[in-house]
Amino acid sequence: MDFSNYNLAPGIFDEMFLHAGEPREGSRPLYEALTALSQEELGGIQERVTHSFSTEGITFTVYGDEEAEERIIPVDCVPRIIAAAEWEFLERGLVQRVTTLNRFLSDVYGEGRIVRDGVIPVDVVRGCPQYRVEMRGMEPPLGVWVAVCGTDMVRTNDGFFVLEDNLRVPSGVSYMIANRKAVKAGLRRVYRSSRVRDVEHYGRLLRETLRELAPRGQSDPSLVLLTPGIYNSAFYEHMFLAGELGAQLVEGRDLVVNDGFVYTRTTSGLRRVDVIYRRVDDDFLDPLVFRPDSLLGVPGLMHAYRLGNVTLANAPGTGVADDKSVYAYVPDMVRYYLGEEPLLQNVETTLCRRPEGLEYTLDNLDKLVVKRVGGSGGYGMLVGPHASKAEREAYAEEMRANPADFISQPTLALSRAPCLIDGRFEPRHVDLRPFMLTGRETRTVPGAFCRVALREGSLVVNSSQGGGGKDLWVLED
């Protein structure tokens, strides 16, 4: 197959090619391998990759207005490549950012120095729906609020940018590993010759991280993964990670709190639980503290947590640090807590809670991307250039009614990577979500869940909005 009809746009960074059409240095072995394959051979590889996701039941759930639909996540067989030096830079920047966010959480649930010193307005923090007053005065083991962080990053011709931090129950890491397994099997020879770094040890690193966060430094803690159940959009991932951790997969009804300790029900009786990797949102964790109608949580869980008898990872209340209004202040947080310049750039963000920000956003709605501050998964956002006049007008009405619920950002020319579309190579926009783990130290595997906007021209990479995934190859030096 060849790239003769592959379209390079001057204003858009291509992950495989330089502007003149030559493959980037690290991509050349992959380029040569792909062009040596016939259309039938590459189509066969794509078919096997897709089949592997189907047979393993790697699904996600799309929530519509009236019902939820379970789908196999689309995956593209052409990997995206990141050079060693680029990854080293990203990793340093992500460590800096996660360290900062953990300091911020300790601060806003403790002394509140950053608010008192005027670095971030108090209403941005205390007015955030994810700020949990129940967590004030708490300090989790090792000061780690965010044990698992998934940071969404994009690249343009101006470099890498952080699009958002996912600090509550970030998902997608199982797709990273499944992508690797499927694509590696199909392109085994070029995978070896490209000297791609492994990601399959993620489960071991996650287990080490959670064990380090055990109450009172226990050496052999008992771990469980708490899931909302089989109807959750990420249930496949919950099963996968429980297997990787060697931990019991439990629902709230499987756990009980007795005398300030958490136990899981087993066939041989109750067994003490020390660390809960929870994939249940704050609201549903404990009906005695948060939503009283929750059937997903465990009555008394927060009592055991406050006593220091169980660790919750991530800690409740971390959502205040990934709120899209708070995001705008992360560069200032880096300077405030670490005395360093941020290595990773934020996307320029306008807060509509400010009158001038609302006015600017409304005046430029056809050029901007507008998001709800607490939104996720691509739901409830407006991509101005791609929206109709009627859609923009309806959205503007919502913004006027509650300006603090919205932020706006410029429409970025996200980088593109080659994808196999209808039997030929076509460019599609991509992002990446690396996963950072923090226990005694912050660590990661050299890889990420690379999301792809499979619809031509689309900038929305979320799987719930028609996006898919592809493998990300981080090369050795």
Side-chain angles (χ1 to χ4, degrees), residues 55-70:
T55 54
E56 294 195 23
I58 303 174
T59 62
F60 67 102
T61 303
V62 178
Y63 297 102
D65 293 336
E66 297 180 354
E67 60 183 14
E69 179 185 352
E70 191 173 55

Side-chain angles (χ1 to χ4, degrees), residues 30 80 91 99 117 156 178 181 188 196 214 252 260 273 282 284 362 412 419-420 428 434 457 471:
L30 175 62
R80 171 185 174 183
E91 186 172 347
T99 301
D117 291 344
T156 73
K181 181 180 174 184
R188 192 170 297 281
V196 182
V273 174
D282 289 358
F284 303 99
L362 291 172
L412 299 180
C419 295
L420 188 63
R428 291 292 186 268
D471 196 10

Side-chain angles (χ1 to χ4, degrees), residues 248 254 264-271:
Q248 185 182 356
D254 299 317
T264 179
R265 296 183 173 91
T266 72
T267 53
S268 56
L270 296 179
R271 181 169 59 85

Side-chain angles (χ1 to χ4, degrees), residues 450-473:
C450 178
R451 301 185 297 178
V452 187
L454 289 171
R455 294 175 187 153
E456 186 175 7
S458 173
L459 295 169
V460 183
V461 298
N462 306 79
S463 52
S464 57
Q465 310 293 315
K470 63 164 55 222
D471 196 10
L472 180 82
W473 288 5

Side-chain angles (χ1 to χ4, degrees), residues 30-65:
L30 175 62
Y31 168 80
E32 291 174 350
L34 293 173
T35 52
L37 293 170
S38 68
Q39 186 180 43
E40 291 71 24
E41 288 171 324
L42 192 56
I45 291 171
Q46 177 63 63
E47 192 173 317
R48 289 192 290 278
V49 167
T50 301
H51 184 67
S52 72
F53 271 55
S54 300
T55 54
E56 294 195 23
I58 303 174
T59 62
F60 67 102
T61 303
V62 178
Y63 297 102
D65 293 336

Side-chain angles (χ1 to χ4, degrees), residues 367-371 381-385 407-412:
K367 306 178 187 69
L368 300 172
V369 175
V370 189
K371 302 175 182 175
M381 64 185 285
L382 179 88
V383 182
I407 58 100
S408 65
Q409 295 173 330
T411 305
L412 299 180

